[in-house]
Amino acid sequence: MLVAPSLSEVGHSECIYSSYRDLISRQSETQQMEVLKEKVEEEEEAERAERAEKMMRPMEMRKEDTTRTQEMLRDLERKLSEIEVSIPEKPSTFTKDAIDTSKLPLSYQSNTPKEEHLLQVADNFSRQYSHLCPDRVPLFLYPVNECNVPKFVSTTIRPTLMPYPELYNWDTCAQFVSDFLSAVPLPDPLKPPSYLYSSTMVLKHQEGNCFDFSTLLCSVLLGAGYDAYCVYGYGSQDLCHMDLTREVCPLTVKPKEMVKEEEKAPPKKYAVKPPRDLTSRFEREQEVKRQEGVKAEEEKRLKQGELLAEQESAKTDPLHGLRVHSWVLVLSGKREVPESFFIDPFTARSYSTQDDHFLGIESLWNHKNYWVNMQDCWNCCKDLVFDLGDPVRWEYLLLETDKPLLSLTEEEDDGTNDDDDAENLGKEDEDKSFDMPCSWVERIEISPEAFETRCPNGKKVIQYKRARLEKWAPYLNNNGLVCRLTTYEDLECTKILEIKEWFQNREDMLELKHINKVTGLNIDYFKPGHPQALRVHSYTSMQPEMDRVMEFYEKVRVDGLIKREETPRTMTEYYQGRPDLLSYRHVNFGPRIKKLALNSAESNPRPVVKITERFFRNPAKPADEDVAERVFLILDERIQLRYHCREDHLTASKREFLWRTEGDSKGNKIIMTPDMCLSFEVEPMEHTKKLLYQYEAMMKLKNEEKLARHQAWESELEVLEILKLREEEEEAHALTISIYDTKRNEKSKEYREAMERMMHEEHLWQAEAQLDYLAPFLAQLPPGEKLTRWQAVRLKDECLSDFKQRLIDKANLIQARFEKETQELQKQQQWYQENQVTLTPEDEDLYLSYCSQAMFRIRVLEQRLNRHKELAPLKYLALEEKLYKDPRLVEVLKVFV
C-alpha cells in the first residue's frame, strides 16, 4: 500500500498561521456572545414595559373587554377568515431525495478497487496531516456524491473540450458557467460542504454552490488546454455572497483609446511662417497646473464621498477571514497565459493572485493530484508562491505529478553515492506505480438548446455599483432583446442616467439601442443588412425635420453616402468613393411659404436657400480647372467657385457668376457681359477670358444647380422614408429564424415532416409489393371472392410460367450482350490487322486499352450467363415450393401434393 508523503517539514510559519486563526475565531465568538446578550436584555426590558402597561390600565377598560358579545367575536372571526395570507415559496434547491439514483451509471453508485485504494491513501494522508498540524482545519478530500458514495475530489473533475467555439477561451467559459448556473450558499459558511455532486447533475439542475461551480469550470478549462486548479480557501463576504454592488460593471468601463501621433508634414520651403505667440509660456503652464489641481481635488472629494457612503452602508463582517469559498486558479505557461490569475466562478471575473478578496488557501487540486498549502497566509494570498513542484511550500498527495520537483544543491548532489541511487531507483519506481484513477463522472454534454438558453429560465439579473444588468435567452422576448444595462446616478439606483439594450436576430438588423435619459438622445446601432444600409441613427425625436444624424455603410449604397446630419434648417451629407468625387454637400433651407396642417417634403418642400458642395482632387485635371468647392446662392442668384490649389502655390483660383434672368421686361434677351463673371486666376489663360467659355460654364452650372436642388429634395424624401420604415420596424419587431433552426422554423419543420411521411408510406408500399408475389395475378379475379380449385391451379401455373419466361428472357439478354461484345471485339481486331502499319503509337495505345476493357466485359457476361444457368432451376423450384405453402393456395392445392 502506498504511504502518503510526511508533513515533517512544516515550519514556524504554520504555528503563526494557526495562532492567527485562533485569535480571529475567539474574537468572532466574543462578538457573537455580546450581540446575543444585548438582544436578551432588550427582550426582557420590552416584557417588563408591557406588564407595567397592563397593570396601569383602568378597571373600566377591563370591564369593557369582558362584556364583549358573541356577535362581535363572530364578526371578527368572519373578517379574519376573509384575509388571504400568501406564503412565500422557498427557492427550489435540488437535494439527494430529489435525485433518482437508480438511473445513474454504476460508477456513480460504487467505487472501483483503484478508487478504494486511493481513498485509503487519502485517509492515511489526512490522519498524518491532522497529527502534524492539529491547529488547521480538516482537508476537503473525499466528500460524498449524489449517491452517498465517497469520491476523491480529483476524480470528480472531468476534463472535457466542448464542441462550441465560444467555449474555447477562459473568459467565455467562465461567463457561460456563471450565467448557466444559479448560486446556492453553503450550508455552513465556515465549513466546506460534506457533499460534491457530479458536473452532469449540476448541469441538469442548473444550480450549485461555489465548489460545484469551480469543479465544472475547471473541467471545461482543462479540456480547453488551460493549467487550471480548483482552490479551497477563504474569501471576502462580497465574494462568497456574489455581491457586486461595490464593483463597477465591466460594460460601463470605457476602453482606453490609443492616441495615434499624427505625422507632421515637412514644412514647405516657401510657406508663410505663423505669427509669433506673444503669450507667456510660464503663465500657460501655471494655468494648466491650476486646472489639473482643481480637477484632481474635485475627483478626490467625490471619491471620498463615495467611500464614506459605502462605508456607512457596508456592515463589518464578524466572520471576516473565516468564510469558506472555492474558486479556480489558472497557472501561466499553457495556452500562452503570461501570468497566473484567479477566476471567481460566481461572477466570471478574473483577479490577480494578490487581490484582497482572497484571504487564504488551504488546498488545491486538479484531475491528476492534490496539493496542500504549507505557506503562511497572514498577508492573504499576496505572498504565496504557486510553484507546485516545491514540496516545502506545497505538500502533494501522490508522487505521480507532472510538476518538476526542485533539484538538489550541488553539495548534496556530490555527496550522494551512486550505489545508493541504484538501490533507491527500484523503490521510487514502486512508489510511482500508483496514479490517479479516471474520473467517475460521465462526459459533460451541453445540448444546443441549453447552450442557447444560458440563464436558468432564460433570465438573469446582476446588480452592480450604480448599474443593473439583465440578461435574456435569444427568442425569449418578442423584440429580440437579450441584454439591458441600466446606469444610475446615485448609489441607491433611483435616478436613471442611461439605458443600453442589445438585440439579436432582428430583421431590421438592430444590434444596440443607447438611450440617454438626461439629454433625451437615442442612438441605434445596426449590423450590415438593413434595407436602407443604416449603420448608426442618432435622434431625439422620430418626427421629421428635427436634429438627427444618420450613418450608412458606404460600400452598400450606390451614391457613396457615409453620413447625413439634419437640423430644422440645414442638411449636411458626406460622401466617399463617388465617380464625380463629391465629398460634401451642405443645404440651407428657408421657412415654408405655405402653412399646411401636415408639412412634408413631398407636398410642401422646404425652400432651398444655399447649397455648398465640395470635391476631392481629381489628378486627371489641372488644379486650376478642378473645382474644390462650389456654392449656389439661390436667393442672390450667384454661383461661387473655388478651385484646388497647386502644390507650389499659396492661393487658389476663384470665380463667381452673377446669375440673371434671360430677358428683360420687354422680352429682349440679355447678352453675356464681362461683369457677370468675376474671377481671380493664379495663372490667367486666354481661353478663360472669352465670353463664350464663361457663358458655357455658366449654363453648365445652371444645370448643376437644378440637379443639386433635386438631390436635396430626394434626400428629404429618403429621410421621411427611413423614419417611416423605422416606425414600422419598431412596431413589428420581427425576428429572423435560421434555416438550420428546425425547431423554430415552421416552414422547414412542415417540409421535413411531409418528407418523412412520404418516405414512410413509400417504404410500406415497397415492402408490401415485395412480399405479395401473387398480387398481379389476384388482381385479375373479382375482389372478395373465394378461390376455387381450378382458379388456384391456374394461378399457380400462370405464376410459374411467367417466372420461367422472365428467367429465359434474362438468359437471352445476357447472351445477346455477350454476342454483341464479341462481334465488336472481332471487328476491332480485323481493323487493327488491316491498318497496323499506318497506326501511330497513340492509336495503338487506344486499341490495346479497348481490347482489355472488352475482354473484361466479355468475361463478366460469361460468368453471369453461367451463374444464371446454374441458379435458374433452383429459383424455379423455390418459387414452386412457396406457391404450395402459400396460405391462400395451400387448402385448395392439398389434393395435388
Side-chain angles (χ1 to χ4, degrees):
M1 176 180 173
L2 177 64
V3 179
S6 64
L7 304 175
S8 59
E9 298 180 354
V10 180
H12 179 62
S13 60
E14 179 60 33
C15 299
I16 298 174
Y17 179 67
S18 60
S19 61
Y20 175 71
R21 292 287 306 280
D22 292 339
L23 178 61
I24 293 176
S25 61
R26 285 194 292 270
Q27 290 178 355
S28 62
E29 290 176 358
T30 54
Q31 290 178 357
Q32 291 177 356
M33 292 298 294
E34 291 177 357
V35 173
L36 291 174
K37 289 180 180 179
E38 291 178 357
K39 289 184 178 179
V40 171
E41 291 177 357
E42 290 177 357
E43 291 177 357
E44 290 179 353
E45 290 180 358
E47 290 178 358
R48 292 171 186 171
E50 289 178 1
R51 291 174 184 172
E53 289 180 359
K54 289 181 180 179
M55 294 298 293
M56 295 298 294
R57 282 183 183 179
M59 296 298 294
E60 296 179 359
M61 296 294 295
R62 295 184 181 180
K63 290 180 180 180
E64 291 180 0
D65 293 339
T66 55
T67 55
R68 286 182 179 176
T69 60
Q70 294 291 333
E71 295 179 357
M72 295 174 65
L73 293 175
R74 290 172 186 171
D75 293 341
L76 181 61
E77 184 179 356
R78 180 177 53 80
K79 292 179 180 179
L80 292 174
S81 63
E82 293 177 356
I83 299 175
E84 295 181 359
V85 180
S86 59
I87 302 173
E89 297 181 359
K90 294 183 179 180
S92 60
T93 57
F94 74 99
T95 58
K96 295 179 182 178
D97 299 335
I99 301 174
D100 187 5
T101 58
S102 61
K103 297 182 180 180
L104 295 177
L106 186 61
S107 60
Y108 287 59
Q109 305 178 23
S110 61
N111 287 321
T112 61
K114 197 171 185 179
E115 290 178 333
E116 293 289 348
H117 189 186
L118 178 62
L119 292 177
Q120 294 176 6
V121 173
D123 184 63
N124 184 20
F125 183 85
S126 177
R127 283 188 279 107
Q128 292 187 37
Y129 174 80
S130 301
H131 175 70
L132 295 175
C133 306
D135 296 332
R136 294 185 63 172
V137 296
L139 296 176
F140 186 67
L141 287 171
Y142 41 87
V144 297
N145 65 351
E146 49 265 42
C147 297
N148 206 21
V149 177
K151 295 286 185 178
F152 191 66
V153 289
S154 295
T155 59
T156 309
I157 298 176
R158 175 64 186 266
T160 306
L161 177 61
M162 306 310 296
Y164 305 103
E166 295 86 350
L167 299 183
Y168 188 65
N169 296 324
W170 70 266
D171 50 351
T172 52
C173 292
Q175 192 62 52
F176 171 77
V177 173
S178 175
D179 292 342
F180 192 77
L181 303 180
S182 296
V184 177
L186 293 174
D188 187 353
L190 306 181
K191 295 180 182 179
S194 59
Y195 55 87
L196 183 63
Y197 294 160
S198 61
S199 297
T200 55
M201 189 62 63
V202 173
L203 286 172
K204 181 179 179 182
H205 293 85
Q206 285 189 269
E207 61 182 19
N209 54 39
C210 55
F211 287 85
D212 298 325
F213 274 67
S214 301
T215 303
L216 175 59
L217 179 57
C218 188
S219 302
V220 177
L221 291 178
L222 287 171
Y226 288 95
D227 192 9
Y229 301 83
C230 290
V231 181
Y232 158 43
Y234 305 94
S236 62
Q237 184 178 9
D238 294 344
L239 198 68
C240 297
H241 291 173
M242 196 180 170
D243 186 6
L244 297 175
T245 54
R246 301 183 190 178
E247 301 291 337
V248 179
C249 180
L251 296 178
T252 59
V253 179
K254 296 182 180 179
K256 296 182 179 179
E257 297 181 356
M258 300 296 294
V259 179
K260 296 183 179 179
E261 297 182 358
E262 297 182 357
E263 297 181 358
K264 296 182 178 180
K268 296 181 180 179
K269 185 177 181 180
Y270 300 104
V272 178
K273 294 182 179 180
R276 291 186 61 184
D277 188 7
L278 301 179
T279 58
S280 174
R281 187 188 305 172
F282 177 76
E283 291 180 356
R284 290 201 307 267
E285 293 177 355
Q286 292 298 321
E287 182 64 21
V288 171
K289 288 181 180 179
R290 188 184 65 81
Q291 292 179 358
E292 289 179 354
V294 171
K295 187 176 181 181
E297 289 179 1
E298 185 67 20
E299 291 179 355
K300 186 177 180 180
R301 186 179 61 80
L302 292 175
K303 287 183 179 179
Q304 289 178 354
E306 292 179 1
L307 290 175
L308 290 175
E310 290 181 2
Q311 290 175 1
E312 290 177 359
S313 61
K315 299 179 181 179
T316 57
D317 185 15
L319 302 179
H320 182 74
L322 302 176
R323 294 184 182 274
V324 172
H325 191 58
S326 178
W327 62 92
V328 175
L329 166 66
V330 179
L331 292 183
S332 59
K334 293 186 178 180
R335 288 294 304 272
E336 300 180 358
V337 177
E339 187 178 359
S340 303
F341 61 95
F342 293 145
I343 303 177
D344 181 27
F346 277 169
T347 60
R349 303 188 68 177
S350 62
Y351 297 88
S352 170
T353 54
Q354 299 182 356
D355 195 272
D356 295 332
H357 286 290
F358 304 92
L359 307 177
I361 295 178
E362 290 287 349
S363 60
L364 55 87
W365 62 91
N366 63 357
H367 63 297
K368 293 183 178 180
N369 211 337
Y370 188 95
W371 292 267
V372 180
N373 179 28
M374 309 305 297
Q375 303 173 69
D376 194 356
C377 295
W378 68 272
N379 195 17
C380 300
C381 300
K382 297 179 181 180
D383 299 333
L384 296 185
V385 179
F386 294 97
D387 183 9
L388 302 183
D390 187 356
V392 177
R393 293 186 174 95
W394 297 94
E395 189 72 35
Y396 50 85
L397 175 69
L398 300 180
L399 293 177
E400 182 67 23
T401 176
D402 57 349
K403 299 299 176 185
L405 300 179
L406 293 179
S407 59
L408 297 174
T409 60
E410 294 182 359
E411 296 178 358
E412 294 176 350
D413 193 12
D414 295 339
T416 53
N417 192 0
D418 297 338
D419 297 337
D420 296 339
D421 293 341
E423 293 176 359
N424 296 331
L425 183 62
K427 297 180 180 179
E428 291 179 359
D429 293 340
E430 291 177 0
D431 293 340
K432 293 186 178 181
S433 60
F434 183 80
D435 55 351
M436 186 69 67
C438 298
S439 177
W440 56 273
V441 181
E442 285 190 328
R443 179 179 175 82
I444 300 174
E445 295 181 353
I446 302 173
S447 62
E449 294 80 7
F451 180 74
E452 186 184 62
T453 305
R454 293 292 179 96
C455 310
N457 300 323
K459 183 180 180 181
K460 194 165 190 176
V461 181
I462 304 174
Q463 190 72 34
Y464 290 95
K465 180 181 179 181
R466 293 198 183 97
R468 177 185 174 90
L469 182 63
E470 300 171 87
K471 298 180 181 180
W472 291 273
Y475 297 102
L476 185 64
N477 295 321
N478 296 330
N479 58 351
L481 181 64
V482 295
C483 185
R484 178 190 291 144
L485 175 64
T486 307
T487 309
Y488 299 90
E489 183 179 357
D490 53 347
L491 294 174
E492 292 77 13
C493 297
T494 56
K495 299 179 181 179
I496 299 177
L497 283 180
E498 61 180 17
I499 299 174
K500 289 184 179 180
E501 295 178 341
W502 285 265
F503 300 87
Q504 286 184 5
N505 308 311
R506 292 269 298 221
E507 281 190 357
D508 57 0
M509 297 299 170
L510 180 63
E511 184 178 18
L512 171 62
K513 183 185 286 291
H514 186 185
I515 305 171
N516 194 321
K517 291 294 185 179
V518 178
T519 61
L521 179 64
N522 298 341
I523 305 177
D524 298 342
Y525 297 88
F526 299 85
K527 294 188 293 185
H530 190 269
Q532 296 291 342
L534 262 181
R535 188 170 67 90
V536 181
H537 183 202
S538 306
Y539 58 94
T540 55
S541 174
M542 290 298 289
Q543 295 297 325
E545 302 178 10
M546 299 293 290
D547 293 341
R548 72 183 69 257
V549 177
M550 294 182 181
E551 297 181 17
F552 303 88
Y553 290 96
E554 68 276 3
K555 294 183 179 180
V556 181
R557 292 186 64 97
V558 180
D559 57 357
L561 181 62
I562 299 177
K563 187 178 180 181
R564 177 183 288 132
E565 298 176 355
E566 186 182 9
T567 63
R569 290 297 179 89
T570 62
M571 180 183 291
T572 307
E573 296 176 337
Y574 301 87
Y575 297 90
Q576 187 177 4
R578 286 174 62 101
D580 58 357
L581 300 179
L582 177 65
S583 63
Y584 172 85
R585 179 187 288 128
H586 181 77
V587 183
N588 293 83
F589 299 99
R592 281 189 172 88
I593 300 174
K594 300 179 182 179
K595 293 185 179 180
L596 301 179
L598 294 174
N599 292 328
S600 65
E602 189 173 1
S603 60
N604 187 17
R606 292 179 289 178
V608 180
V609 177
K610 179 182 176 181
I611 300 177
T612 304
E613 294 180 341
R614 295 172 187 168
F615 300 85
F616 290 113
R617 179 75 173 90
N618 187 2
K621 291 183 180 181
D624 293 337
E625 297 180 5
D626 189 11
V627 178
E629 182 183 41
R630 65 186 181 191
V631 181
F632 299 102
L633 300 172
I634 298 172
L635 296 181
D636 298 339
E637 295 184 349
R638 287 189 301 161
I639 302 175
Q640 297 176 354
L641 300 180
R642 181 175 60 84
Y643 296 89
H644 285 278
C645 182
R646 293 186 180 182
E647 295 183 358
D648 54 348
H649 286 66
L650 299 177
T651 58
S653 300
K654 297 180 182 179
R655 186 173 286 113
E656 183 176 359
F657 293 92
L658 303 177
W659 186 256
R660 297 178 183 175
T661 56
E662 295 183 356
D664 55 8
S665 59
K666 297 181 180 180
N668 299 324
K669 292 184 178 180
I670 297 176
I671 301 173
M672 182 73 182
T673 57
D675 60 343
M676 296 176 63
C677 178
L678 305 177
S679 62
F680 168 77
E681 299 182 8
V682 179
E683 294 184 359
M685 291 178 285
E686 292 296 332
H687 70 280
T688 58
K689 296 181 180 180
K690 296 180 181 180
L691 293 178
L692 179 60
Y693 174 81
Q694 296 175 1
Y695 178 77
E696 290 177 352
M698 188 169 61
M699 296 303 295
K700 184 179 179 181
L701 289 173
K702 180 183 177 182
N703 296 330
E704 293 290 341
E705 178 186 341
K706 292 180 180 179
L707 180 60
R709 294 176 65 179
H710 180 72
Q711 290 176 350
W713 177 72
E714 287 183 345
S715 298
E716 287 189 90
L717 292 181
E718 185 181 8
V719 171
L720 293 177
E721 184 180 353
I722 292 174
L723 294 179
K724 183 179 179 181
L725 179 62
R726 287 295 301 129
E727 290 179 356
E728 294 176 356
E729 290 171 347
E730 288 297 332
E731 291 179 359
H733 49 73
L735 303 180
T736 59
I737 299 175
S738 174
I739 58 174
Y740 302 104
D741 192 351
T742 56
K743 290 192 174 182
R744 294 190 181 92
N745 199 325
E746 296 295 335
K747 292 183 179 180
S748 62
K749 185 177 180 180
E750 293 176 359
Y751 177 76
R752 186 181 69 257
E753 291 177 352
M755 292 295 296
E756 291 177 354
R757 186 167 55 254
M758 290 175 59
M759 291 178 63
H760 181 66
E761 293 176 356
E762 185 178 357
H763 178 72
L764 293 177
W765 178 80
Q766 290 179 356
E768 292 177 359
Q770 290 177 359
L771 294 175
D772 195 3
Y773 41 84
L774 287 176
F777 306 99
L778 291 173
Q780 301 175 5
L781 300 176
E785 187 176 326
K786 189 176 180 180
L787 290 176
T788 61
R789 191 174 300 173
W790 178 81
Q791 289 176 341
V793 173
R794 187 167 65 86
L795 278 176
K796 178 181 72 67
D797 295 340
E798 289 180 355
C799 185
L800 290 174
S801 62
D802 183 75
F803 183 68
K804 183 178 180 181
Q805 187 63 36
R806 288 183 62 189
L807 294 175
I808 295 172
D809 293 343
K810 186 175 181 180
N812 294 335
L813 180 62
I814 298 174
Q815 183 68 30
R817 290 180 178 176
F818 176 79
E819 293 175 356
K820 182 180 179 181
E821 290 290 341
T822 306
Q823 291 176 1
E824 290 181 356
L825 180 61
Q826 291 176 357
K827 289 181 180 179
Q828 288 292 332
Q829 290 176 350
Q830 184 179 358
W831 173 82
Y832 178 74
Q833 294 293 335
E834 294 176 354
N835 303 308
Q836 185 177 5
V837 181
T838 59
L839 290 178
T840 61
E842 291 79 4
D843 295 337
E844 290 184 358
D845 293 339
L846 292 173
Y847 170 74
L848 293 176
S849 63
Y850 171 78
C851 289
S852 62
Q853 294 177 4
M855 291 300 297
F856 174 75
R857 290 194 293 270
I858 290 172
R859 283 196 298 271
V860 171
L861 290 172
E862 185 178 3
Q863 291 177 0
R864 286 182 179 177
L865 184 60
N866 295 333
R867 188 166 178 273
H868 180 69
K869 290 180 180 180
E870 293 176 0
L871 297 178
L874 300 178
K875 291 181 179 179
Y876 184 84
L877 295 176
L879 178 61
E880 186 177 10
E881 185 178 358
K882 283 184 180 181
L883 290 174
Y884 278 115
K885 294 181 180 180
D886 190 277
R888 291 166 291 185
L889 304 177
V890 64
E891 297 294 335
V892 186
L893 297 178
K894 277 183 179 180
V895 183
F896 300 97
V897 177

